[in-house]
Amino acid sequence: MSDIGARLDRIHSAGGCLARVAYAAFAAMFLLVCLAVGVRDTAIVWMVLVAAAANAAAISGRRFVAWAAVAGTLSALTTLLLAMEPGAEPGAPSLFAEIGALLILVVRTAWKMPRRPLVPMAVLLTVAILSTPLRWSAIAAVLFTAPLGITVAIAAGAGLYLRAMDARRARSLAAARRDERLELARDLHDFVAHHVTGIVVQAQAARFAARSGAAPPGPEELDGMFGGIEKAGAEALTSMRRMVGLLRDAQHVNAPDGDARGAVRRPVGDLARLQELVEGFAHPPAALTIAPGLGTLPPEVAASAHRVVQEALTNVRKHAADAASVRVTLARVGGEVEVAVRDDGRGRGRRLPSGGFGLTGLAERIGALGGRLHAGPRPEGGWEVVAVLPAGDG
């Protein structure tokens, strides 16, 4: 249970329990004093009991709707009965505790109550509060109804404000989850498309060798082909499993510092994985050149560099089967990092299906970091993908 959000929820719950206990103790002491003072007056004893029910409803946890309905109904009926009784002068101080509890109920009703019983409950509580001055006299009702109405409006406004804050937080969490899932979907494309493309290319090479009139491939060559297909397939399955696990854990994106377990499993790239990626690209052969003064890159920059190279090599396999070589370079240019993938192909030969979203998603990712992406033909022939990323030194 190391999740920060869970710890904060427990602290919040403990604080709420302490506040309820403190309020209940204070209300109980006050109502006991009121009961002791007017123990011989039946009307005062009844009002103390009604006030106790209202305060119990104010601090109730479960079945809040039922508690609030009982408290509002008892208060309104008590006012009606005492107002109809001639000569009654119930001036018990418990009435102030009752009104305070009913105002708390108004706040909680506007804040937490479901929409269906919200309006009827709010009307019931408002009527119960505004009618309490009738227990004294009609003149008291005229004098105190307006101030009580303002107090009820303030309580309802506070509850609605808290309700709006909760709704805003829920929308923010939903948007964060949606954005995280979209980012994970782009990651799934970046990592899996490269491996799947490699599988298709090697399978096409095997079919071409089988259909051509040339001598069939030897056992070692076939073993190399199938080994490459097996490796690419295993890497694609690993990436997909990681992504599915992250999608299942996406509900934890609201944690302030993220989920450390998910961060460990996240298949981001770094310079070591970048070197493995380039070394494993053999058709056509690719070479990686890292400038001596490159230094240490921030994780997000290193991961983005890995994605740029991965997407560019995937496109080489798809659209530049005639390329003889691919050059991958990483260097510092001023205060920025330049990642470039250049091939010498003419775009002839193999044409594999493409969704057309790889470079678009890559441009969004690079732009989010404050960088720039260029993809296009080279003047001397071939194709290049160049990304300029902030070095993150400042």
Side-chain angles (χ1 to χ4, degrees):
M1 296 296 293
S2 60
D3 182 71
I4 296 176
R7 291 201 300 270
L8 292 176
D9 287 341
R10 288 197 296 271
I11 293 173
H12 179 75
S13 299
C17 290
L18 289 175
R20 282 188 171 95
V21 170
Y23 178 82
F26 176 79
M29 291 178 59
F30 181 77
L31 292 176
L32 285 175
V33 172
C34 294
L35 184 62
V37 171
V39 68
R40 296 182 180 180
D41 191 325
T42 305
I44 292 179
V45 172
W46 175 251
M47 289 181 61
V48 170
L49 294 177
V50 173
N55 281 274
I59 61 174
S60 63
R62 298 179 180 178
R63 298 182 179 179
F64 170 69
V65 176
W67 274 102
V70 169
T73 302
L74 282 177
S75 178
L77 290 177
T78 299
T79 300
L80 179 61
L81 292 176
L82 293 177
M84 292 176 61
E85 184 178 350
E89 296 180 358
S94 62
L95 181 61
F96 297 103
E98 180 182 339
I99 293 175
L102 291 175
L103 288 173
I104 294 176
L105 289 175
V106 171
V107 174
R108 293 189 62 188
T109 297
W111 181 12
K112 293 292 187 180
M113 188 164 288
R115 291 185 178 181
R116 181 171 295 180
L118 174 60
V119 174
M121 190 63 63
V123 171
L124 173 62
L125 294 174
T126 301
V127 170
I129 294 173
L130 296 182
S131 63
T132 51
L134 289 173
R135 299 183 190 181
W136 284 298
S137 63
I139 297 176
V142 173
L143 293 177
F144 291 103
T145 297
L148 282 176
I150 295 175
T151 308
V152 171
I154 293 174
L160 292 175
Y161 174 77
L162 293 174
R163 190 184 191 95
M165 292 294 292
D166 285 349
R168 181 179 179 182
R169 181 174 180 269
R171 289 193 298 269
S172 298
L173 291 178
R177 293 189 182 101
R178 182 179 64 250
D179 294 342
E180 178 70 8
R181 290 173 184 270
L182 290 174
E183 182 178 353
L184 291 174
R186 289 194 294 266
D187 290 347
L188 184 63
H189 172 274
D190 292 341
F191 280 93
V192 177
H194 175 79
H195 301 308
V196 173
T197 302
I199 294 173
V200 174
V201 168
Q202 295 185 70
Q204 287 180 341
R207 291 186 62 191
F208 177 77
R211 290 181 178 180
S212 64
E220 294 183 358
E221 188 176 353
L222 286 175
D223 183 71
M225 288 183 179
F226 290 123
I229 293 175
E230 180 183 6
K231 180 180 178 181
E235 291 176 348
L237 288 174
T238 300
S239 295
M240 284 191 288
R241 280 195 296 268
R242 287 170 174 169
M243 288 298 169
V244 170
L246 287 169
L247 286 171
R248 288 175 177 172
D249 293 339
Q251 65 268 23
H252 300 300
V253 302
N254 56 313
D257 296 328
D259 188 350
R261 293 169 298 174
V264 171
R265 298 207 311 266
R266 192 182 184 93
V268 298
D270 52 22
L271 295 184
R273 294 193 62 184
L274 177 60
Q275 188 171 2
E276 294 177 2
L277 175 66
V278 176
E279 290 176 353
F281 194 86
H283 303 287
L288 173 63
T289 301
I290 299 179
L294 184 63
T296 303
L297 300 180
E300 65 275 10
V301 176
S304 297
H306 183 276
R307 306 287 172 82
V308 169
V309 175
Q310 188 176 57
E311 180 64 28
L313 293 180
T314 300
N315 288 336
V316 170
R317 275 180 170 162
K318 287 181 178 180
H319 307 302
D322 60 333
S325 64
V326 180
R327 291 184 294 110
V328 181
T329 60
L330 270 78
R332 284 186 180 264
V333 179
E336 298 174 316
V337 177
E338 182 185 83
V339 185
V341 181
R342 298 180 173 92
D343 66 74
D344 56 0
R346 304 292 178 179
R348 297 189 299 270
R350 185 186 303 115
R351 289 283 178 177
L352 299 181
S354 174
F357 299 109
L359 289 177
T360 301
L362 193 61
E364 293 177 358
R365 188 188 306 277
I366 300 301
L369 289 177
R372 305 180 301 277
L373 179 70
H374 164 74
R378 302 167 58 198
E380 62 272 23
W383 190 269
E384 67 178 3
V385 176
V386 181
V388 179
L389 298 165
D393 296 331

